[in-house]
Amino acid sequence: PPNDLEYKENANRSVPKNLSNIPLQAGEVRLVSLDVALMGGDKNDTSAIIGIRLIPNSDGGYDRHLVYIDTIRDSTTNKDIGKIFKRAYYDFDATYAVLDAMGIGLGVYDVLAEPTYDEERDVEYEAWSSMNDKEMRKRYNDANAKQVLYTVKASASLNSSIAFSLKSAFNNGKVKLLVSDNERRDNLINNKEFPMDLEGRQ
């Protein structure tokens, strides 16, 4: 994603560019999800933001491309985490946002349900609302809130269903994961179309 300086420079252009560095494909759906960790100051607890591209395949379903993972270590307030999550949604040009709304995630939902000001970028993100949970929407009766947030309330049966579906997707080759920098470098070095020496020069 763009850093704050790149974002500001682009905002000052007469015709701003799309800063997402992965062009959308026809029929593609993009998800950005937030797994909220405990916010008690424990350095081992980190919230995670994950970007996933759903690319239509020939079976009429989607291949799942996990293309982005970031962790939030230093920001431990609901306000900070909510702001970073909204920023990731817009930077990624996402279609939907996904949030675990149980427990401590509920506090982040309350932040997302209100307009959020991003001081570093001098921009205000609109309020969001749950698109799938009427009870969550009732917490904030804002008819203008953007319904892009899919709220998850995990249960034993839902967790089992998700695990089964994910295993099936892996077995069928429909999940594409990130590779390490070393593996990607080896692939480029061994690819005759992109000959590179060990210093990474073409």
Side-chain angles (χ1 to χ4, degrees), residues 103-122:
I104 56 177
L106 189 58
V108 177
Y109 177 84
D110 289 340
V111 171
L112 299 174
E114 296 180 342
T116 307
Y117 180 63
D118 187 336
E119 300 88 354
E120 291 81 9
R121 295 187 175 187
D122 190 27

Side-chain angles (χ1 to χ4, degrees), residues 125-197:
Y125 306 120
E126 58 203 322
W128 289 357
S129 177
S130 176
M131 60 186 288
N132 63 300
D133 190 327
K134 292 180 181 178
E135 292 302 314
M136 295 295 287
R137 285 200 298 273
K138 286 180 182 178
R139 290 175 67 86
Y140 292 86
N141 282 323
D142 184 353
N144 296 318
K146 189 171 184 174
Q147 291 192 22
V148 296
L149 186 60
Y150 190 93
T151 49
V152 178
K153 293 182 179 177
S155 64
S157 61
L158 178 60
N159 287 342
S160 176
S161 176
I162 290 171
F164 179 81
S165 176
L166 184 60
K167 182 178 180 181
S168 175
F170 269 112
N171 288 340
N172 294 323
K174 294 184 178 181
V175 176
K176 316 295 182 188
L177 300 176
L178 293 167
V179 297
S180 70
D181 288 342
N182 289 337
E183 183 178 348
R184 181 63 180 145
R185 184 166 174 259
D186 290 344
N187 289 343
L188 286 172
I189 291 171
N190 295 325
N191 188 333
K192 294 180 181 178
E193 294 179 20
F194 300 99
M196 301 175 75
D197 63 24

